[in-house]
Amino acid sequence: MQAFTTLTAVAVPLDMANINTDMLVPARFLRKPRDERYGSYLFHDLRHDEQGRLRDSFPLNEACYAQAQIIVAGANFGCGSSRESAVYVLMDSGFRCVIAPSFGDIFFGNALQNGLLPVVLPEAQCAALRAWLEANPGAQITADLESQQVSVPGGERYAFSLDPVRRERLLRGMDEIGLTLSRLPAIEAFEARYHAQRPWLAR
Amino acid sequence: MSPPSAGTGTLFERIWNDHVIEQGGADDALLHVDLNFLHEGSFLAFAALRKEGRSVRSPQRHFAVADHYVPTLGRERGIAGITDPEVRGLIDLLESNAAWAGIDHAGIDDARQGIVHVIGPELGLTHPGMVITCGDSHTSTHGAMGAFAFGMGASQVKQVLATQCLWQRRPKTLRVTLDGTLGAGVGAKDVILALIGKIGAAGATGHVIEYAGSAMRAMSMEGRLTVCNMSIEAGARAGMVAPDDVTFDYLHGRPFAPKAQHWDDAVAMWRTLSSRADARFDREVSLAAADIAPMVTWGTNPGQALPIDARVPDPATANPEARRGIEAALAYMGLTPGQALDGLPVDRVFIGSCTNSRIEDLRAAAAVLRGRKARIPAFVSPGSTAIKREAESEGLDRVFTEAGVEWRASGCSMCVGTNGDLLRAGERSASTSNRNFEGRQGRGARTHLVSPAMAAAAAVTGTLTDVRRLLAGARA
C-alpha cells in the first residue's frame, strides 16, 4: 500500500451529497482490467454526455482542475456498492485525498487499503472549504496526516482525526496481510479453540 | 461504578467478542471470518493474491458462485450460450480461480447456482453466530440469520483469502424496533424502504442494525433477509435479527446445515444468541408496523421513498440543504413537484435481485398477476436455480407466462446490469431491486424501487399502483 503523510495539491470542490460508487465508476467498467485507461472511467457518466463528449458543466473537466489530487465533496461520499474500483479510478486519476462530512463505510475502508486518505470534516467546514476553492479555482490546499490538519494557504486550518491504528498503518503504508500473518500462532490457537466448541463447522 | 457502555449486552457484541483474535486498539480488532463468499467480481482479489505469491489459507471456508455476469436468457446452453467474450472470461476465471484455490464453486450450470446472498442461506452455509464476508455490499443480507455479515472491497477479500481474518473497526449499534402487524399488501420491502425513508441513506452509517420487535419476530425468514439486505442502503455496516425458531426451521435439513447431534448442539448454542433485556444500544429507532403503507422510491437514492399514496416532494418547501438534491433527483427522474406517484406510467418491470427473488417474493407477485395480463414488458429472474425449480413445481412460472411476464434464469440481472439486462435511456422501471441510483439500471434509466407485489401491480396497470386496490379486487 502507498503511504500517506502529507499532500499539497490542487483541490476540486464537488458540491454534491450522496456521491455513490456507481457514479464514481459505472458498473459496465467493472469487468475491465486495471490498465492505463482505468482512470478515465472516473465519474464517466457525469463527465461525458451520451455522445461521449466532455460536459463543460462538470468541475473535473475544467482546465484549472486537471492536476487536482484532492476532492472536497458533500456528505455520504462513496455510499453504495462495495466496488474497490471506485478507489482505483480515483487513484489512477491522480487523486490521493477526499474530504467530506461523511463517507460510506465500505468506501472508507477501501480508501485506507489503498493509500487514499478520507478526511471527515464537519458539514460547515466542508462548505467553507468548497466556497474558498470556488473563489480560488485551481488553488492548492494541504492535507497533513501527521498533524491531522487540512490547511488553506495563509488561511484556515481544519483539524481532523483518524483512529490511531488506521492512521499509523497509513502513515507507514503497512501491508495488513503481513501484519496479520505475523500473528499466525495466535490465529491458530484461536481457531483450534473456536472450532473445538463448534465441531459442526469442520469441513 | 460507571454504567455499562453502549453496545453492551447486544447480539452484535456477543458475536463480535466470540470472533476477536486480538485487539488492535480500543475499537479495533483482528476478527476470525467463518465464511467468505466469492463471485465473478472477485477476480481482482485473486489476481492480487496470486501476484503476491500467496495461497488461500482455509479454502473450505469459502464458497464461490457465478451470479453478477450470468445471462438470464439462453441458460440451457450453459457457458457456451454466452457470446460476449469478456463476460464469458469472467465466469471462466471464477471457476479457474476456485479450482486453483480448492474452493467449492457453483458455476453457471450448477444446480446450486443463484445469487450469492440467496444461496448462502438456501444451502445452509449461513449459520447464526457467524462472521461472514463477501466482496459485495449486500452481504448484510446474511445477518437475517443472526450472523454478523458485511461487504468489503477487493483488498479485504484478498486478506480473507490469505489469512481467514480481518482487521475491523467496531461499529456502533442501532436497534430498530418494529412492533404491531403489517397491513394487507404490505411486506418486508415496504418496512425497509419506510425505515430508510425515515432515517435517510446515511442514517445508519457506522452502525450495525439489530431489527427487533413483534413484527420482526412474526416475519418469515425470506422477509428478514429482505430487510437485512437493504440495511446497507441506510449506510449500515450490517443488519441482523436474533435467531429463533423461524431461523432454525428454515435452516434445518439444508445441505450444509449441521446434522444429527451436531444440529442439536448448534441450536443449543444459537439459542443463546440474542440481546439481553438490559442491552444498551448507541441509538434506538422504532416503527409502527400498522402505519407502513406500500412504498415506492421517487428519487435517486433509496432514502427518497414515500408511501404510494403520497405526492412527489416540492423542493421549494424543503430545507435549503435538501433542496438541490431533490431538484437534481426530480430532473433525472423526469418528475414534477406535487405529482401523484400512484398512476405514474412505467415502461418495464423487473422482479428479482438479492433483495426480492425468493420463493415468497415470487408467490406475492404471482398472487397479483394470477388471471391478469401485464400491459408492459416485465420479467422475473428467480434468486436461484433451486427457487426457479421450486416455483415451477408450484406452477408459478405458468402464472407469470400466462400473464405475459417473461420467466428467466437466475442471476443479479437488472439490479446491476453487468450481464447486459438493462433499460434504455429515459425508460422508467418498477423494480424489486435495491438501488435507484442514476444509471444503475442503464444510463439515463429511471428506477422506482418497490415490493414484488407492487411490481406485479405496476405490470398489470402499466403505472405505479397501490397494490391494495388489486388485492381488494381479487377478494371481491
Side-chain angles (χ1 to χ4, degrees), chain B residues 29-391:
Chain B
L30 183 64
L31 291 186
H32 171 68
V33 174
D34 293 282
L35 178 62
N36 177 61
F37 289 101
L38 299 153
H39 56 78
E40 302 96 305
S42 311
F43 73 94
L44 292 163
F46 275 109
L49 188 81
R50 296 177 76 159
K51 192 174 162 196
E52 291 172 19
R54 300 186 191 276
S55 56
V56 176
R57 184 161 169 267
S58 306
Q60 74 280 16
R61 309 213 179 276
H62 301 258
F63 192 92
V65 63
D67 62 359
H68 278 63
Y69 287 87
V70 295
T72 52
L73 291 172
R75 278 280 280 285
E76 61 286 349
R77 299 183 54 211
I79 192 85
I82 303 176
T83 50
D84 184 328
E86 275 184 343
V87 167
R88 189 170 167 161
L90 286 178
I91 292 170
D92 281 338
L93 192 52
L94 179 68
E95 181 170 9
S96 60
N97 278 327
W100 166 76
I103 291 171
D104 200 355
H105 167 255
I108 186 168
D109 47 12
D110 193 299
R112 304 172 300 175
Q113 184 276 339
I115 306 173
V116 60
H117 309 309
V118 175
I119 64 150
E122 180 177 273
L123 292 172
L125 287 159
T126 301
H127 297 179
M130 280 183 164
V131 167
I132 295 175
T133 56
C134 174
D136 189 280
S137 60
H138 293 107
T139 306
S140 60
T141 311
H142 304 261
M145 303 198 62
F148 174 45
F150 52 91
M152 59 188 179
S155 294
Q156 292 187 318
V157 174
K158 180 185 72 175
Q159 288 179 30
V160 175
L161 285 167
T163 70
Q164 207 57 36
C165 21
L166 204 56
W167 294 96
Q168 279 292 294
R169 188 167 166 75
R170 183 179 159 135
K172 294 185 172 130
T173 53
L174 163 62
R175 178 162 57 188
V176 173
T177 303
L178 180 73
D179 276 323
T181 306
L182 293 170
V186 180
K189 182 66 161 287
D190 303 303
V191 169
I192 189 64
L193 285 175
L195 174 69
I196 304 167
K198 178 177 172 140
I199 67 174
T205 299
H207 291 72
V208 52
I209 302 176
E210 181 178 343
Y211 298 94
S214 59
M216 285 308 300
R217 295 264 75 87
M219 196 179 280
S220 67
M221 203 61 241
E222 285 85 351
R224 295 176 186 184
L225 289 160
T226 297
V227 169
C228 287
N229 170 275
M230 284 189 71
S231 301
I232 179 69
E233 308 309 333
R237 196 86 187 86
M240 47 206 313
V241 178
D244 59 11
D245 285 331
V246 172
T247 321
F248 309 141
D249 290 347
Y250 176 92
L251 192 53
H252 186 72
R254 293 190 182 264
F256 290 95
K259 304 279 186 299
Q261 186 60 43
H262 281 159
W263 172 258
D264 295 336
D265 294 345
V267 170
M269 180 178 279
W270 297 339
R271 282 197 191 281
T272 69
L273 296 172
S274 61
S275 290
R276 296 199 313 249
D278 63 347
R280 287 169 47 88
F281 291 80
D282 293 284
R283 278 174 63 204
E284 299 258 10
V285 170
S286 42
L287 289 176
D291 293 348
I292 298 174
M295 299 290 291
V296 55
T297 60
W298 53 268
T300 52
N301 76 60
Q304 293 175 321
L306 284 169
I308 181 65
D309 53 4
R311 290 177 177 273
V312 174
D314 184 352
T317 60
N319 72 55
E321 281 146 38
R323 188 171 300 155
R324 272 187 321 115
I326 296 174
E327 283 169 352
L330 294 185
Y332 181 84
M333 294 297 290
L335 298 173
T336 52
Q339 185 174 358
L341 287 165
D342 199 336
L344 179 70
V346 170
D347 302 298
R348 292 181 69 181
V349 169
F350 170 59
I351 299 174
S353 86
C354 58
T355 308
N356 279 132
S357 61
R358 298 176 183 81
I359 190 70
E360 199 175 81
D361 299 319
L362 305 189
R363 287 176 191 145
V368 174
L369 284 161
R370 187 170 278 115
R372 293 185 166 116
K373 293 281 181 201
R375 295 178 58 162
I376 51 175
F379 76 89
V380 180
S381 174
S384 70
T385 300
I387 291 171
K388 185 170 196 276
R389 296 234 170 84
E390 185 179 2

